[in-house]
Amino acid sequence: MASYLYRFGRAAFRGRKFVLALWLAILFVAGAGAAALSGPTSNSFSIPGTEAQRALDLLKTKMPEAAADGASARVVFKAPGHQKVAKAPVEKTVGELKRLDKVATVADPFHDQLISKNGNIAFSQVTYKVQGAELTHADREALKDAARTAEKAGMTVEFGGDAMQEAAGVSPTEAIGLGVAALVLALTFGSLIAAGLPLLNALLGVGIALGAITAASGFTKIGSSTPILALMLGLAVAIDYALFIVSRYRKELLEDREPEEAAGRALGTAGSAVVFAGLTVIIALAGLSIAGIPTLTEMGLAASFAVVVGVLVALTLVPALLGFAGRKVLGKAAKKAPNPNPLSQRWASMITRRPLAALLAATALLGLVALPALDLRLGISGDEAKSTQTTERRAYDLLADGFGPGFNGPLLLVVDGRNAETTARTFAERAATFHDVAAVTPPTPNRAGDTAVFTVVPKSGPSEQATTNLVKHIRHTAPAGTMVTGSTAVGIDISAKLGAALPPYLELVVGLAFVLLMLVFRSVLVPLKAALGFLLTMAATFGVVVAVFQWGWLKDLFGVPVAGPIQSLTPIFLVGVVFGLAMDYQVFLVTPMREEYVHGASPKRAVEAGFQHGARVVVAAALIMIGVFAGFISSHDPMIKLLGFAMAVGVLFDAFVVRMTIVPAALALMGKRAWSLPHRLDTILPDIDVEGAKLSIELDRQDAKEPAHA
């Protein structure tokens, strides 16, 4: 592969105008496709096969008038002071709501007794015929306009429910990550041209990936968070991969190679590592599909597609751009090969002098930080997790104050069978006596009489453990043919399915890491150490996430409106992303160490020398990743905020504690054993030569022969 990439790099360097024109044309096509074919994104989240989803599917067939899978909105009225809600303006508002397009049913607070005991707060439940993805901004504005009469009468009106969820978008503050990346690149290279190449590479790659994903939304449902996650990952890895190649190109130039030859060698060596690193990320993300969860599969495939584009652009556009830049990437200050970084040299020497102490200290630190992870609780947060500046959160709080938090997430019970109405009535009377039940509505049968529905309102909020326990109790005691659904039950089922999918997925990625790294480093102990280090990274990351987002530590600093359960998608998605990035750093840091050892250095000297070669670029890459991910912490979308924070923390721990401390300490302790491979495995496993060391030796031999032929 290294030889092929060497030739390809030289060809792209020579044909730079064609390569650039080709990628610009692809960008134009992707942009045109996005503009012409894009469809609405979805905030819905379902898992086929769960009880809650089966109940919704049943209602769609036997009771379509209930619009059980349609979007819903809660319109909450509050009278000024301690006054009671006025009947006339509320009923006029209900009439306006019923006339709205796409609305299926509207509950009248006075007819359906949806008024608080003191009469100060009332609410109307609005059910739409369509799902939230099919509601436009105009539909949401029409909902708000319908309440103008009540507002003119002096009442406060707030709106909640999934119908109010706008598609997630990128805010201007999320561009902070690009600024951080530009600063790190400028400091690393000391050249604005060299710093600009990875940024240009990333922007073009991300533009193509997002254009294609947006165009695909016209043919299939895509979650509103999916394009942002693809942007987050695509931007970070594209910058990093270009950084590795440009760094190697500069090194080759400083060894007095011609620019075209330097580009070929850079792609043949660093490019080979980029291919391997990209494959690990792609496999980890695409592997999310094994969980059998459509939304997770979609997110993983979209993000892996962005990484694929990033790798392809890095391998083709970067050498082409180097053809335009030539020697200008060196900057005026670079006149000779740089001296080793004194800071990394001192750090490596300190670690190798006291490897056991460094290993124990770093492991103890991560173990201490990981302790909160023992209290990890998964859930699907709703309006309660939003800022108090939003109408959704204010509606949630008003409803909780007037009726109790359970009214924000009622449970819908579906009874299917020949005597559905009788069975439903009997169980509804029994359910009213359950602990943590605030109210039960009378059952409503369908026209055929073989299906009936009724609502159970918990005393506790949708994301509280007591509500989860109530759902389990109802399912355990309910008669045959009875199912629990509704947004709260759907969230509980999703959390359970994702929690069950995490262990086998973790086994997959850790096993994959072991096999791939055994191929790269021709060792058993190095992959084992890498896998254990990755597990430490994940444990510490989950610990910090629980402390901030679930326990509420420093939540104001990171803009977390309210502490609560961790979004169910976070653990499994985080494992996939951080695994891929951890393997990137492992390859780029440890490969120079192995090369030093193979070329005759002692085990201790190999660790120190290899660390000096790889540390600077890994630190730069990690800082860029952290900057890009941290930029998304400012997002108003709770899911994006959480993932941005978690991935930034994960990269921080993995790059600076595991790879920079635990890895050199462990290798120093292992000595020669770190680089040994049982003879039988050595004969079976192919030598893939990720860093292109064999190519470098071959080309150096050719260079040595050239004067003899002159």
Side-chain angles (χ1 to χ4, degrees):
M1 180 173 67
S3 297
Y4 172 78
L5 288 174
Y6 165 76
R7 293 192 296 270
F8 190 84
R10 296 191 64 166
F13 186 96
R14 291 193 301 270
R16 48 190 173 274
K17 293 182 179 179
F18 172 77
V19 173
L20 178 60
L22 179 62
W23 278 114
L24 290 176
I26 294 173
L27 177 63
F28 175 79
V29 171
L37 304 173
S38 64
T41 55
S42 173
N43 288 305
S44 61
F45 193 165
S46 64
I47 300 181
T50 59
E51 179 178 312
Q53 190 61 46
R54 289 198 306 270
L56 291 175
D57 295 339
L58 177 71
L59 288 176
K60 196 171 184 179
T61 302
K62 293 192 173 183
M63 235 176 145
E65 66 275 10
D69 64 340
S72 64
R74 289 180 292 276
V75 183
V76 186
F77 306 87
K78 184 186 184 302
H82 297 288
Q83 299 178 28
K84 294 187 177 181
V85 173
K87 184 175 182 179
V90 169
E91 289 189 332
K92 187 173 181 181
T93 296
V94 169
E96 293 289 338
L97 291 170
K98 289 180 178 179
R99 285 191 285 272
L100 292 179
D101 187 33
K102 302 175 186 174
V103 167
T105 61
V106 180
D108 187 327
F110 289 92
H111 179 270
D112 298 320
Q113 300 180 348
L114 302 177
I115 302 175
S116 63
K117 290 181 180 179
N118 62 7
N120 182 244
I121 298 174
F123 78 95
S124 174
Q125 187 79 11
V126 180
T127 303
Y128 285 86
K129 301 173 185 176
V130 298
Q131 294 184 344
E134 299 176 60
L135 294 177
T136 64
H137 179 73
D139 292 326
R140 297 180 181 91
E141 289 302 309
L143 179 71
K144 294 178 181 178
D145 290 340
R148 299 298 182 203
T149 301
E151 290 177 342
K152 290 178 181 178
M155 283 184 279
T156 299
V157 185
E158 303 292 353
F159 307 85
D162 60 351
M164 298 301 298
Q165 293 183 20
E166 298 272 6
V170 180
S171 67
T173 55
E174 289 159 2
I176 292 174
L178 276 179
V180 172
L183 179 61
V184 172
L185 289 168
L187 292 175
T188 301
F189 290 135
S191 164
L192 292 179
I193 293 178
L197 290 182
L199 291 175
L200 181 60
N201 174 81
L203 290 174
L204 188 141
V206 165
I208 291 171
L210 288 184
I213 292 170
T214 303
S217 67
F219 302 94
T220 184
K221 282 186 179 179
I222 288 181
S224 58
S225 299
T226 298
I228 302 178
L229 292 173
L231 168 64
M232 191 188 303
L233 278 172
L235 196 61
V237 300
I239 293 174
D240 276 4
Y241 294 162
L243 164 67
F244 296 138
I245 296 173
V246 173
S247 296
R248 187 58 184 247
Y249 174 76
R250 282 162 53 94
K251 179 177 180 294
E252 297 293 339
L253 286 181
L254 290 170
E255 292 178 359
D256 294 327
R257 307 205 188 278
E258 290 300 315
E260 183 181 326
E261 176 68 11
R265 287 180 179 243
L267 205 66
T269 51
S272 298
V274 164
V275 170
F276 172 82
L279 280 175
T280 60
V281 180
I282 292 164
I283 292 171
L285 292 171
L288 291 169
S289 59
I290 69 167
I293 301 169
T295 302
L296 190 60
T297 299
E298 164 209 306
M299 292 169 65
L301 291 178
S304 62
F305 173 71
V307 176
V308 168
V309 174
V311 171
L312 292 176
V313 171
L315 296 177
T316 56
L317 183 62
V318 169
L321 293 177
L322 292 174
F324 289 105
R327 295 185 179 274
K328 294 178 183 178
V329 297
L330 293 176
K332 294 181 180 180
K335 300 299 183 181
K336 58 181 180 179
N339 295 320
N341 189 326
L343 181 60
S344 64
Q345 188 176 24
R346 288 196 297 270
W347 180 259
S349 298
M350 183 183 69
I351 295 294
T352 54
R353 277 200 308 270
R354 297 180 179 85
L356 183 59
L359 179 63
L360 292 177
T363 303
L365 172 65
L366 293 179
L368 181 65
V369 174
L371 287 177
L374 297 174
D375 190 39
L376 175 66
R377 187 160 63 90
L378 302 179
I380 301 292
S381 60
D383 292 345
E384 74 277 10
K386 295 183 178 178
S387 167
T388 53
Q389 303 300 314
T390 63
T391 185
E392 297 98 309
R393 173 63 185 278
R394 292 194 295 267
Y396 181 96
D397 291 342
L398 282 177
L399 207 56
D401 291 342
F403 301 88
F407 277 80
N408 284 288
L411 307 174
L412 183 65
L413 271 70
V414 181
V415 181
D416 183 39
R418 192 172 293 177
N419 301 313
E421 184 177 4
T422 303
T423 304
R425 189 179 298 112
T426 302
F427 188 65
E429 293 173 358
R430 184 182 175 192
T433 66
F434 290 169
H435 178 67
D436 201 43
V437 170
V440 179
T441 63
T444 302
N446 65 349
R447 294 178 183 177
D450 59 355
T451 303
V453 298
F454 65 97
T455 300
V456 173
V457 180
K459 291 179 182 177
S460 50
S463 60
E464 295 181 37
Q465 185 61 41
T467 302
T468 301
N469 295 338
L470 175 62
V471 170
K472 291 178 180 178
H473 182 66
I474 290 174
R475 286 173 170 171
H476 181 69
T477 57
T482 302
M483 294 177 284
V484 185
T485 189
S487 59
T488 300
V490 169
I492 291 170
D493 286 353
I494 288 171
S495 298
K497 186 77 178 283
L498 286 167
L502 181 58
Y505 180 68
L506 193 58
E507 291 173 5
L508 170 71
V509 296
V510 172
L512 176 66
F514 189 87
V515 173
L516 291 178
L517 293 179
M518 191 163 57
L519 286 171
V520 174
F521 298 115
R522 317 294 297 175
S523 167
V524 174
L525 291 179
V526 170
L528 181 61
K529 174 264 306 170
L532 293 175
F534 169 68
L535 293 177
L536 280 173
T537 294
M538 295 314 306
T541 302
F542 288 145
V544 174
V545 168
V546 169
V548 175
F549 285 81
Q550 185 175 311
W551 291 359
W553 293 4
L554 301 176
K555 67 182 182 67
D556 294 335
L557 177 64
F558 296 103
V560 180
V562 63
I566 304 303
Q567 290 275 14
S568 300
L569 273 178
T570 305
I572 193 167
F573 192 83
L574 188 61
V575 165
V577 173
V578 176
F579 161 73
L581 301 180
M583 295 309 103
D584 286 2
Y585 302 143
Q586 179 76 11
V587 170
F588 287 108
L589 184 65
V590 179
T591 299
M593 299 179 187
R594 179 176 180 269
E595 289 181 359
E596 292 290 337
Y597 178 76
V598 170
H599 290 140
S602 67
K604 180 176 179 293
R605 179 56 192 159
V607 171
E608 293 177 352
F611 188 91
Q612 292 174 43
H613 289 309
R616 185 173 184 175
V617 72
V618 169
V619 167
L623 289 176
I624 289 169
M625 287 277 189
I626 292 169
V628 170
F629 293 152
F632 288 84
I633 297 175
S634 63
S635 173
H636 297 297
D637 187 301
M639 181 68 179
I640 298 299
K641 178 188 290 290
L642 175 57
L643 283 176
F645 176 85
M647 289 193 285
V649 170
V651 170
L652 176 68
F653 284 143
D654 194 83
F656 293 101
V657 182
V658 174
R659 307 303 152 190
M660 292 291 172
T661 305
I662 292 179
V663 166
L667 290 175
L669 284 171
M670 293 176 191
K672 293 181 178 180
R673 291 172 297 175
W675 312 109
S676 63
L677 187 68
H679 179 70
R680 181 171 295 182
L681 283 176
D682 193 33
T683 56
I684 295 174
L685 297 177
D687 189 354
I688 57 177
D689 189 27
V690 170
E691 277 287 354
K694 292 181 179 179
L695 172 66
S696 298
I697 293 172
E698 179 185 343
L699 293 176
D700 289 344
R701 285 175 179 171
Q702 291 178 7
D703 289 345
K705 290 179 181 180
E706 283 180 4
H709 293 289

